[in-house]
Amino acid sequence: MSGISSLPGSTDKNPTPFYPDHLFVEGVAAIAVFLVIVLIAFVWQVPLEEMADPGDTAYVPRPEWYFLFYFQLLKYFEGSLAVVAIVVLPALTLALLVLLPFLDRSAATGIRKRPLTAALALASVLCIAALTALSVLEDESHLYTMDLPPVTDEQIAAGEEIFGRFCQICHSVDGKGGFMAPDLTQIGARANRAYIEQVIIDPQIVNQATIMSVIPLSDAERHEVSAYLSRKK
Amino acid sequence: MNRIYQFIDERLHLGPLISEIANHPVPDHANLLKTPKAIIYCFGGMVFFILLLQVLTGVFLMFYYVPSPDHAYASVTYIRQETAFGGLLQSVHRVGASAAVVMVMLHMLRVVLTGSYKNPRELNWVVGVFLLLLVAGFSFTGYLLPWDQKAYWATTVGVNMIAGIPLIGGFLADALRGGSEVGALTLTRFFVIHVMVLPALLTIFLAAHFFMIRRQGISRPL
Ligand code: HEM
């Protein structure tokens, strides 16, 4: 076992021993990491949702944040293309990772001397960051899609009237209305029209225990309200 | 202390082994005391530390956790509400998982940027890729355990994706689920993979990783 204590290629005059000096530094770093983790854990209590309900197929789950980029990627490959996202791309990525040391064989280690690897690494980081950002931006609401009649001025006017009658006791818009529910002055900026329709049909998609009740509107009336609200930006 | 050490050392002759582990020199470019840039060489060690933290918090969670659809959710609620520091414990385990992912990525980036995967360290890089997959596996299996809506449906989506793999997908998905739907068998399977199979594999691959680092030393400065 002996004989490997000196490092191959080491040029240092007085290298620090691993124990105790280096272990001490690592220990300090570890304590710092530990404190940050505990602090975040303390401030951010893990959310626990309702108990699993295998019957509730309308539920739209989101993965952990570090899988969001992949979740987002999947959206671009639907139907028969799904194979690309679940087999081809992961397999290629994995192969590239495993083979990297055998593809990039030059002796150069400086990053400036390896433009291709540097570009690949940078591109991967940027792709993951961009996909994650897109996924976060494309708020939950955008997962909802529906065929809706185009918005007309009459619809918006009628929608405002219906909103005043059925919704304003709880919701406020432009400073007028109840305060039992979220202000909807800018709902059109954070949600699309299909999402608003879905909330009216089934308020529980927002929150399982919501106090918002199912309000019996006709399809036409619902389209009018959603038209009105989707213009509130 | 000394007497006890001597007693053991006379019989087991630990001296050379311990100095082998403890006395190797750390090169200046990887030494935070000598240069602040060495912080990038800390990431791997930090991943290891976080993994130890995950084991510790995981053990405490397991004291109460019950892997069955009838009790999983209630046992997690119990941990959060009834046990001393239970909520914090669960949070630390969850935040720790995220921190491990962040650190693994930083560690990989540093290995790429310093070209440390090159001769003679190719094999250790490959071992590293397996470590990355293991970390992802921990995350995927752990997500189901609280058995709340998010856990259930995220796992359903995940396994459905596996089912989409041509030819073998259906078989793989059924094997993972223990049937055609996410249910009691899925939960026990994920639990055993999360607390038994993956930790065992992790131990083996980490041992290989660390052995190779010691054999080959930290790569030279740029
Ligand atoms: C469970 C996760 C991992 C742990 C705990 C871990 C731990 C470590 C530690 C402590 C070192 C010593 C130097 C340093 O800290 O930078 C190291 C070096 C190394 N790691 Fe990892 N690592 C992990 C994952 C990975 C991954 C995902 C890869 C790449 C795919 C990788 C590739 C390497 C290589 C090639 C070295 C040698 C670098 C050199 O000698 O300069 N490791 N690892």
Side-chain angles (χ1 to χ4, degrees), chain A residues 22 26 97-98 100-101, chain B residues 29-30 38-51 100 103-112 114-118 121-135 138 202 205-206 209-210 212-214 216-220:
Chain A
H22 193 67
E26 294 268 317
L97 273 178
V98 169
L100 176 65
Chain B
H29 69 278
I39 190 118
I40 60 170
Y41 291 89
C42 267
F43 297 149
M46 290 308 104
V47 182
F48 184 56
F49 166 72
I50 295 169
L51 293 178
M103 284 292 169
V104 166
M105 287 180 175
L106 290 176
H107 175 55
M108 259 179 95
L109 267 182
R110 105 90 173 122
V111 171
V112 170
T114 56
S116 304
Y117 51 80
K118 296 187 173 217
R121 299 186 179 78
E122 299 96 326
L123 289 180
N124 212 9
W125 167 269
V126 175
V127 168
V129 175
F130 280 97
L131 286 171
L132 181 71
L133 294 179
L134 287 176
V135 171
F138 271 107
L202 186 71
F205 279 95
L206 274 184
H209 204 55
F210 291 153
M212 287 194 233
I213 295 166
R214 274 300 278 119
Q216 303 172 327
I218 296 291
S219 56
R220 269 193 270 178

Side-chain angles (χ1 to χ4, degrees), chain B:
Chain B
M1 260 319 266
N2 238 339
R3 296 261 300 280
I4 300 175
Y5 176 74
Q6 260 168 23
F7 174 88
I8 297 174
D9 195 44
E10 267 166 27
R11 273 139 254 254
L12 298 177
H13 200 55
L14 294 178
L17 238 164
I18 291 178
S19 66
E20 178 57 39
I21 294 170
N23 286 352
H24 63 275
V26 176
D28 284 355
H29 69 278
N31 186 340
L32 255 186
L33 294 173
K34 300 240 167 95
T35 155
K37 273 196 271 175
I39 190 118
I40 60 170
Y41 291 89
C42 267
F43 297 149
M46 290 308 104
V47 182
F48 184 56
F49 166 72
I50 295 169
L51 293 178
L52 292 180
L53 187 66
Q54 293 301 92
V55 171
L56 194 73
T57 48
V59 165
F60 281 105
L61 290 172
M62 257 168 79
F63 284 161
Y64 300 98
Y65 179 77
V66 185
S68 90
D70 291 342
H71 303 297
Y73 186 78
S75 66
V76 173
T77 313
Y78 182 84
I79 293 171
R80 289 161 69 95
Q81 291 171 2
E82 307 292 333
T83 62
F85 300 110
L88 187 62
L89 189 73
Q90 194 208 0
S91 287
V92 168
H93 197 71
R94 187 70 74 84
V95 175
S98 286
V101 171
V102 172
M103 284 292 169
V104 166
M105 287 180 175
L106 290 176
H107 175 55
M108 259 179 95
L109 267 182
R110 105 90 173 122
V111 171
V112 170
L113 292 185
T114 56
S116 304
Y117 51 80
K118 296 187 173 217
N119 188 348
R121 299 186 179 78
E122 299 96 326
L123 289 180
N124 212 9
W125 167 269
V126 175
V127 168
V129 175
F130 280 97
L131 286 171
L132 181 71
L133 294 179
L134 287 176
V135 171
F138 271 107
S139 172
F140 182 58
T141 50
Y143 211 53
L144 177 67
L145 302 184
W147 203 252
D148 62 352
Q149 281 281 70
K150 189 174 55 171
Y152 184 89
W153 290 106
T155 303
T156 301
V157 171
V159 180
N160 281 347
M161 258 167 46
I162 296 176
I165 301 174
L167 300 179
I168 52 167
F171 170 75
L172 279 181
D174 285 351
L176 211 53
R177 279 187 299 233
S180 58
E181 261 170 57
V182 175
L185 288 174
T186 324
L187 186 54
T188 43
R189 267 166 214 216
F190 274 47
F191 177 69
V192 170
I193 295 174
H194 190 78
V195 305
M196 289 280 311
V197 180
L198 291 178
L201 289 175
L202 186 71
T203 311
I204 295 169
F205 279 95
L206 274 184
H209 204 55
F210 291 153
F211 170 75
M212 287 194 233
I213 295 166
R214 274 300 278 119
R215 265 288 144 115
Q216 303 172 327
I218 296 291
S219 56
R220 269 193 270 178
L222 303 176

